[in-house]
Amino acid sequence: AVARLEGGRDAALEYIEQLQGATGQAAHDRNRAERAEEEVREARLRQALDAKQLEAVSHEAGEARRLRAELLDAEAAVEELRKVELDAERIKGNESDLLAALRGARDEIASLDSELAFATTERGQEVVALQ
């Protein structure tokens, strides 16, 4: 009977060792599964972050393209203003030349008027002298 009890005890101890081993393996497997789940969560977060960053970069690239187009438009407008300024300066120069020519023409007309008046007066005196 003692041998049977000792055999049962040995079998129970062996069973307990098997249970402890299985429990340890189960704990180890559970830890591995939790680590795997954590890695999956981290990968999903990284993927979501990458997608958001990609979206942000895409948005920034679009904004940069829009700003570059605005800059090119502004540069073209500045170039057009420079042309207008040059035209305005040329017109001012032409205006000055025209005003000088006009003054010269007025002086010439005044001189011709004086000559005409003198000639008319002289002619009138000749006519009176002939009468």
Side-chain angles (χ1 to χ4, degrees), residues 33-53:
E34 287 173 357
R35 280 195 304 270
E37 286 176 2
E38 185 63 29
E39 289 174 6
V40 167
R41 277 193 296 272
E42 288 174 4
R44 285 182 181 154
L45 286 173
R46 279 192 303 273
Q47 187 179 23
L49 179 61
D50 289 346
K52 287 204 179 282
Q53 287 173 339

Side-chain angles (χ1 to χ4, degrees), residues 10-28:
D10 289 341
L13 288 173
E14 188 177 316
Y15 181 69
I16 289 171
E17 285 177 16
Q18 288 176 354
L19 285 176
Q20 287 175 341
T23 302
Q25 184 63 39
H28 177 70

Side-chain angles (χ1 to χ4, degrees), residues 77-92:
V78 166
E79 187 60 32
E80 193 62 33
L81 283 175
R82 285 186 186 137
K83 288 178 185 177
V84 168
E85 286 174 346
L86 290 174
D87 288 346
E89 288 176 18
R90 192 180 75 251
I91 289 169
K92 282 181 184 177

Side-chain angles (χ1 to χ4, degrees), residues 73-125:
D73 290 347
E75 288 174 347
V78 166
E79 187 60 32
E80 193 62 33
L81 283 175
R82 285 186 186 137
K83 288 178 185 177
V84 168
E85 286 174 346
L86 290 174
D87 288 346
E89 288 176 18
R90 192 180 75 251
I91 289 169
K92 282 181 184 177
N94 290 345
E95 182 181 19
S96 296
D97 292 345
L98 289 173
L99 287 174
L102 182 60
R103 279 190 222 101
R106 282 184 187 160
D107 291 345
E108 184 68 25
I109 290 171
S111 174
L112 290 173
D113 278 347
S114 294
E115 287 179 29
L116 181 61
F118 180 73
T120 303
T121 303
E122 201 174 81
R123 180 76 175 152
Q125 287 175 354

